[in-house]
Amino acid sequence: MKINDINHVAIIMDGNGRWAEQHNLPRFSGHKKGLDKIPEVVKELINNKIKYITLFAFSTENNFRPQEEKENLHNLLEFALNKITKEIRKNKIKLSFIGEIEHLPKVLIRKIENTTKSYDINYDAELIIAWNYGGRQEIIKAVNKLIKQNINNINEKQFEKLLYTTGTPNPDLIIRTGGQKRISNFLLWQSAYSEMYFTSKLWPDFNKKDVIKALNDFKNRNRNYGKIN
Ligand code: IPE
Ligand code: IPE
Ligand code: MG
């Protein structure tokens, strides 16, 4: 039986609001519970030799949510960054962000810059947070760079260099929690041949056993890339 190689797992962490609703709590509590789940899942992925982990935490379209929810999410991000800085360094995890970070509040931008500084060490894994990220916006941004440079012919490899994800392999597996079966503007270019795994579990309920289930499901898939095996 063929076992697929896996380097990069990306997760659409959906279902925080519904989790809160199920527990008669405000939406904010769902987001907090969701944040608390991240270390368990990331650790399990790293234990399973996953080198790149991308977490979809805030989409471009999430900007159309009420101001209060956005502020809550920004505060949670700031809280999380304060908390994890030491831990990720100790565990040799490189932290990076993809998305339009430049439009965030200034204090948050500074915090992100501080936490994502790279050190001259060999990292064991990279944790990529997609924040204020949209796949279409990423592609348009790349096209605008081309226009600015008067470039009128380009191949895939060159185009990939203009994306946020340059240097990162495409996700092998994309997990979406929360029951919806859609991509919601996540890694549109990069997901061309990603395997998709959908689970109805809400993100705050997703745990390390669910990680193993998803990885096992992935292992036995036939990745054809359009060819005949
Ligand atoms: C995902 O949970 C987190 C973000 C999109 C920021 P949701 O907030 O979308 O939760 P549901 O889908 O309403 O349950
Ligand atoms: C996708 O969830 C974005 C994140 C998990 C950050 P949404 O809740 O925003 O997606 P839709 O609106 O259901 O498609
Ligand atoms: Mg949702």
Side-chain angles (χ1 to χ4, degrees), residues 30-84:
H31 293 313
K32 175 72 178 67
K33 188 78 185 168
L35 172 67
D36 293 343
K37 250 5 230 286
I38 292 176
E40 176 185 339
V41 171
V42 168
K43 271 181 207 152
E44 191 62 19
L45 287 167
I46 294 176
N47 286 345
N48 281 278
K49 314 246 171 333
I50 307 301
K51 294 272 174 235
Y52 300 89
I53 300 159
T54 301
L55 301 178
F56 199 12
F58 192 94
S59 75
T60 314
E61 290 72 28
N62 291 149
N63 279 305
F64 299 104
R65 292 190 179 192
Q67 189 60 24
E68 192 194 346
E69 175 146 345
K70 278 196 302 178
E71 278 170 18
N72 281 336
L73 288 164
H74 284 157
N75 290 340
L76 270 185
L77 174 61
E78 199 180 337
F79 167 81
L81 290 175
N82 285 335
K83 210 172 144 189
I84 62 168

Side-chain angles (χ1 to χ4, degrees), residues 105-160:
K106 278 212 176 70
V107 264
L108 204 48
I109 298 177
R110 226 168 299 135
K111 189 127 283 168
I112 290 172
E113 284 167 356
N114 283 335
T115 352
T116 52
K117 259 185 218 147
S118 346
Y119 295 89
D120 199 15
I121 57 169
N122 285 326
Y123 288 103
D124 286 343
E126 183 166 349
L127 177 62
I128 302 151
I129 309 295
W131 193 280
N132 205 13
Y133 172 86
R136 287 184 171 177
Q137 291 79 355
E138 177 184 37
I139 291 167
I140 292 289
K141 206 171 186 173
V143 171
N144 280 326
K145 282 184 204 160
L146 293 175
I147 295 170
K148 242 194 190 148
Q149 296 167 28
N150 272 322
I151 298 170
N152 55 24
N153 196 301
I154 194 167
N155 63 30
E156 282 181 25
K157 279 234 152 61
Q158 292 163 328
F159 189 72
E160 279 172 351

Side-chain angles (χ1 to χ4, degrees), residues 12-21 27 31 56-59 62 65 69 73 131 176 178 180 202-203:
I12 303 174
M13 305 182 294
D14 195 21
N16 294 349
R18 279 164 287 162
W19 184 92
E21 204 178 315
R27 287 183 63 85
H31 293 313
F56 199 12
F58 192 94
S59 75
N62 291 149
R65 292 190 179 192
E69 175 146 345
L73 288 164
W131 193 280
R176 182 172 186 144
Q180 311 297 346
L202 304 173
W203 174 251

Side-chain angles (χ1 to χ4, degrees), residues 167-194:
T168 306
N170 289 327
D172 300 293
L173 173 66
I174 297 181
I175 298 172
R176 182 172 186 144
T177 63
Q180 311 297 346
K181 296 185 179 70
R182 53 180 174 251
I183 197 89
S184 299
N185 204 14
F186 186 46
L187 298 176
L188 296 183
W189 171 279
Q190 299 84 344
S191 64
Y193 272 101
S194 300

